[in-house]
Every structure is written in C-alpha cells, then in structure tokens.
Amino acid sequence: MTADSLREKFLGFFKAKKHKIVESDSLVPKDDPTVLFTPAGMNQFKKEFMGFDCGFKRAATAQRCLRTDDLDKVGKTSSHHTFFEMLGNFSFGDYFKEEAIVWAWEFLTKELSIHQDKLWVSVYQEDEETYKIWKDKIGIPEKKIIKLGDKDNFWPAEAKTKGPNGPCGPCSEIFYDFGPGAGCGEKICDPSCSCGRFVEIWNLVFTQFNRKDDASLEPLPNKNIDTGMGLERLAAIMQGKQNNFEAELFQPIIKEIIR
Ligand code: GLY
C-alpha cells in the first residue's frame, strides 16, 4: 500500500467519523514563537485546545513536520527523518479517550488489517483509566500494556518539569513489533527498549492541561484529543520493510543518488 493511499485512507476514515479535513499548516509556523518549525499536527490547533471556538470540534490532518530534536538521530535509526508527515485526528472538547483509542485500534486492525499480535501499547504510569480501556474494552493482554513516565508518556515529553508552556497531557502510544529477530535479544525487551524491535507508530495525547510559567498544570476548559502517526513508519510496515529508507517514499531518491 503506497503512502498516498495510506494518507487518503486515514483522512477518509476520520471524515466518515465526522472530522473536518484541514490542510497541513506551513512547515514554518507564522505566529508560534515557541518552535522554529512545525513539529506536530497539534501546533496549528493550540488556540482550539485553549478553548477558542473555530466552528468545528473534530479535525483530521496530514501535517508536514520537522523536529529539530530528531536531527541528531537521523542516519542512526531506521525511523527518524529531517522531514516527515504526521497523520492526526483531533477533538476540541468533543470525544475523549475511549473513542480515540477505539478508532485508532479500528483503523490499524480493521482498515489496514495489521494483526493485533504485532501491536503493543504504552500508557502514562498514573493513567489507570487508559490502562483499563486497553485491557477491558480493546482486550490487550496485560503483558503488552506497559506503563511509562513523564519522558515517554506525557506530551510534550517532560513538559511537566521542563516545559514548553501550553497545552499538554498524558499520552498512550501504539507500537509495532518487528519480532525477536529484529531486536537486542535481551530477556526484557519491550517498547521501552531502544534496540529498534519496537517502533512507535501512533501517539494518542489526552490534552487536558495548560502548562504555565510557574510550571503549574492548569486544567483546560475542555478535554481534548491530539493524535500523531508517522506516515513514513506506517508505509514501511505496510510495505513489509523494517527500515523506512527501504520503503517506497525513499527508494526512488536513494536509487537516483546511487545512479
Ligand atoms: N502531538 C503528538 C505527537 O506529536 O506525538
């Protein structure tokens, strides 16, 4: 399945669930002094998360992104880039955790037919509600739901202690397991391991706080959803490749350089 058809499938899936399809914002944000480049789908919706009424409560995008934090990893991992596209669905005070989780699972396992055995999830260590949704509603075995802390399962990472200010919240991530042969072989190897066996494909953020100058977390007027899934990672998985650079988006460029 090509990246173009995956992007179309994703936007069509959320359009059918009453999301407004919004164009990608510019890679250089016009009026956000907190970032140099657009790092995520949520950036163009910060005002909506703060309570501004834009006339719709559900949106979906394919956002062009550049993460300066990722640059040092490029060339060293199979899944970090200088540029990538993020598929995202957003709720501004409308649906919350349960729908976001159920729809993410439906998209991956039904629309894309990814076998559920290949998927693991992580939840924020204090978020029992999300743990229960994955365990009881979706039926994920407990050993495949791992609890992680501020660095991995709060978004932006470590925002609680280090900032930036603005909308933030606990998150839950979905990982694809490339299998034991792709990993470090250690006895304990799970999505918290950075050996490359597990690749994060989708982050579901429960955006419910506004971080302020004094590092306090003020509850937002509404509970919101912000999700982000890397198109290049998903395309690689759907094309049976473990390394994004071996998949359809990069191969023509690499072949041209070699020629
Ligand atoms: N905003 C969610 C993410 O970038 O992972």
Side-chain angles (χ1 to χ4, degrees):
M1 197 179 283
T2 63
D4 279 349
S5 58
L6 281 169
R7 189 191 302 105
E8 212 174 290
K9 228 178 193 335
F10 178 88
L11 296 175
F13 178 84
F14 283 101
K15 189 173 181 190
K17 301 206 183 295
K18 310 219 174 334
H19 289 61
K20 182 178 165 69
I21 308 306
V22 177
E23 276 294 307
S24 169
D25 197 13
S26 163
L27 197 58
V28 180
K30 288 175 287 296
D31 49 14
D32 186 346
T34 67
V35 285
L36 283 175
F37 298 97
T38 300
M42 65 79 72
N43 286 70
Q44 69 166 313
F45 298 120
K46 278 185 179 177
K47 283 205 305 277
E48 284 76 3
F49 289 134
M50 301 294 280
F52 172 75
D53 181 0
C54 59
F56 52 91
K57 287 186 171 295
R58 298 178 181 193
T61 63
Q63 174 65 48
R64 293 184 283 270
C65 298
L66 193 165
R67 288 192 167 176
T68 48
D69 285 356
D70 279 356
L71 295 181
D72 284 343
K73 298 181 194 142
V74 177
K76 296 176 189 154
T77 77
S78 58
S79 57
H80 289 91
H81 308 288
T82 52
F83 167 85
F84 69 102
E85 262 184 84
M86 182 182 283
L87 305 174
N89 55 293
F90 307 91
S91 155
F92 315 121
D94 186 15
Y95 63 87
F96 199 44
K97 291 179 179 179
E98 186 159 318
E99 292 89 335
I101 290 171
V102 167
W103 291 341
W105 195 252
E106 183 185 333
F107 183 73
L108 294 176
T109 61
K110 301 256 164 46
E111 285 288 305
L112 302 186
S113 300
I114 296 178
H115 200 285
Q116 60 184 41
D117 289 356
K118 302 297 287 176
L119 301 174
W120 288 55
V121 298
S122 67
V123 300
Y124 187 53
Q125 59 200 4
E126 291 160 25
D127 188 356
E128 275 307 310
E129 187 188 355
T130 299
Y131 188 92
K132 283 207 178 82
I133 297 173
W134 282 119
K135 180 167 86 64
D136 300 333
K137 176 99 193 162
I138 307 292
I140 309 273
E142 282 185 79
K143 68 172 193 326
K144 292 179 75 183
I145 311 174
I146 61 163
K147 295 183 178 181
L148 298 172
D150 288 345
K151 191 161 172 288
D152 298 289
N153 277 92
F154 200 89
W155 204 89
E158 295 180 283
K160 269 180 160 181
T161 47
K162 297 186 181 161
N165 290 338
C168 59
C171 63
S172 183
E173 296 186 320
I174 305 175
F175 294 80
Y176 186 83
D177 178 5
F178 281 101
C184 57
E186 292 297 319
K187 208 162 164 214
I188 297 181
C189 177
D190 65 21
S192 64
C193 184
S194 55
C195 68
R197 170 176 167 178
F198 296 92
V199 171
E200 179 217 323
I201 47 175
W202 204 341
N203 186 14
L204 316 179
V205 187
F206 312 123
T207 311
Q208 59 195 92
F209 302 113
N210 175 27
R211 185 193 193 273
K212 304 186 72 179
D213 278 339
D214 62 359
S216 61
L217 296 183
E218 175 187 71
L220 286 167
N222 296 307
K223 289 184 173 169
N224 308 285
I225 289 295
D226 152 32
T227 87
M229 173 157 59
L231 177 65
E232 295 78 1
R233 293 182 185 187
L234 190 63
I237 289 165
M238 295 307 291
Q239 291 162 18
K241 306 289 184 199
Q242 201 191 321
N243 186 318
N244 293 5
F245 298 101
E246 287 168 11
E248 153 248 353
L249 282 168
F250 289 94
Q251 273 303 302
I253 304 169
I254 292 170
K255 284 197 178 123
E256 189 59 29
I257 293 168
I258 292 170
R259 203 165 67 88

